[in-house]
């Protein structure tokens, strides 16, 4: 069974600091990994999708890396802003059944 | 947004009553999913559909049933609601199976079972 862990569960940083969010998974047989953002009371919005053959993916201030062999992904958010305050979830797509396994998320607060 | 709506957005019900949640999409996506989200847990897949009248179980399907009679609608039914089914329910859609392509999520339904 695929287990996805995100540590820490919560993070508070001052505006302008770079954010580093971690995701680990137990089974390296994945098709891809996605990072999502969830605002309070809202659904999830996809931020980045990394295929298993890729090492990283970038979108604006966001950069996600993937080390499939060690079961780790990191989401970097450069020069954080108060608008980046949200919960960030990672999810891995299992190769055997094409179902997503989600982590519990890291709740980020960026202080102005 | 991918044009996904969920109804109702909030519901309070009593133990033992049936409850139906509706997901409606305007993207003509083939695949639709129902997840539940609980504190300390990630989203967990309840059921999914890979076409009209084609559905399959997820990892937490006990006590839930689904139906899909049209491409745009996916219904989740709690046959006899229990307090353990108090949760936030999310519908999602995708053009490709699972996460091969991005999944798009609805705003969620908060369900409280008393």
């Amino acid at each position: 069974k695929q287990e996805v862990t995100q540590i820490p569960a919560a993070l508070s940083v001052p505006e302008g600091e770079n954010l580093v969010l971690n995701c680990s998974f137990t089974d390296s047989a994945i098709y891809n990994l996605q990072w999502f953002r969830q605002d309070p009371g809202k659904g999830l919005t996809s931020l980045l999708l990394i295929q298993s053959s890729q090492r990283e993916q970038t979108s604006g201030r966001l950069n996600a890396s993937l080390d499939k062999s060690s079961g780790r992904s990191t989401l970097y958010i450069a020069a954080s802003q108060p608008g980046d305050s949200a919960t960030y979830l990672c999810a891995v797509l299992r190769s055997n059944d094409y179902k997503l396994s989600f982590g519990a998320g890291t709740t980020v607060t960026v202080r102005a | 947004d991918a044009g996904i709506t969920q109804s109702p957005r909030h519901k309070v019900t009593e133990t033992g009553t049936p409850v139906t949640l509706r997901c409606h999409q305007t993207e003509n996506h083939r695949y639709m999913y129902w997840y539940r989200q609980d504190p300390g847990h990630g989203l967990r897949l309840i059921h999914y559909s890979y076409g009209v009248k084609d559905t399959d179980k997820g990892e937490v399907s006990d006590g839930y049933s689904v139906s899909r009679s049209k491409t745009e609608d996916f219904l989740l039914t709690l046959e006899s609601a229990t307090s353990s089914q108090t949760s936030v329910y999310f519908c999602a859609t995708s053009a490709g199976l699972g996460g091969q392509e991005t999944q798009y999520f609805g705003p969620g339904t908060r369900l409280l079972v008393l």
Side-chain angles (χ1 to χ4, degrees):
Chain A
K1 181 185 175 188
Q2 179 71 272
E3 301 285 346
V4 182
T5 303
Q6 293 185 249
I7 295 174
L11 184 61
S12 179
V13 299
E15 183 177 4
E17 191 166 301
N18 296 332
L19 284 165
V20 180
L21 307 180
N22 298 303
C23 173
S24 62
F25 47 95
T26 55
D27 187 348
S28 61
I30 66 169
Y31 190 87
N32 64 37
L33 182 145
Q34 296 185 53
W35 283 94
F36 293 88
R37 169 182 172 138
Q38 184 176 28
D39 292 293
K42 300 291 178 68
L44 280 68
T45 301
S46 180
L47 297 174
L48 291 168
L49 185 155
I50 312 175
Q51 301 294 349
S52 61
S53 58
Q54 296 178 311
R55 297 285 292 182
E56 66 178 323
Q57 193 68 249
T58 298
S59 176
R61 293 184 296 112
L62 278 60
N63 174 274
S65 66
L66 174 63
D67 185 342
K68 196 173 73 166
S69 61
S70 67
R72 294 180 184 176
S73 177
T74 302
L75 178 66
Y76 300 90
I77 303 177
S80 62
Q81 305 168 358
D84 294 328
S85 297
T87 297
Y88 293 84
L89 296 94
C90 71
V92 298
L93 183 68
R94 308 191 295 246
S95 297
N96 57 346
D97 60 8
Y98 295 104
K99 293 176 183 170
L100 284 174
S101 294
F102 284 83
T106 295
T107 298
V108 171
T109 301
V110 180
R111 307 186 304 271
Chain B
D1 291 344
I4 303 170
T5 57
Q6 293 184 231
S7 58
R9 294 293 314 279
H10 303 270
K11 186 167 181 70
V12 180
T13 192
E14 294 186 349
T15 298
T17 60
V19 176
T20 295
L21 309 182
R22 179 178 183 247
C23 177
H24 179 80
Q25 58 133 336
T26 58
E27 297 298 306
N28 200 36
H29 284 168
R30 177 179 175 183
Y31 300 92
M32 298 185 75
Y33 315 83
W34 277 107
Y35 294 92
R36 61 178 289 174
Q37 185 177 37
D38 303 290
H41 293 272
L43 277 72
R44 292 180 289 175
L45 182 65
I46 305 171
H47 282 280
Y48 68 102
S49 169
Y50 47 97
V52 173
K53 299 189 188 302
D54 293 323
T55 64
D56 204 351
K57 296 179 180 180
E59 59 184 300
V60 290
S61 59
D62 288 347
Y64 301 95
S65 62
V66 290
S67 66
R68 190 169 179 200
S69 59
K70 297 186 290 185
T71 297
E72 58 266 35
D73 291 327
F74 193 30
L75 303 181
L76 176 71
T77 297
L78 288 65
E79 294 141 8
S80 178
T82 67
S83 58
S84 64
Q85 293 176 313
T86 291
S87 187
V88 181
Y89 292 86
F90 288 99
C91 172
T93 73
S94 65
L97 176 60
Q100 291 180 69
E101 296 186 31
T102 299
Q103 287 194 15
Y104 296 92
F105 285 78
T109 293
R110 291 186 173 274
L111 176 67
L112 175 60
V113 183
L114 299 174

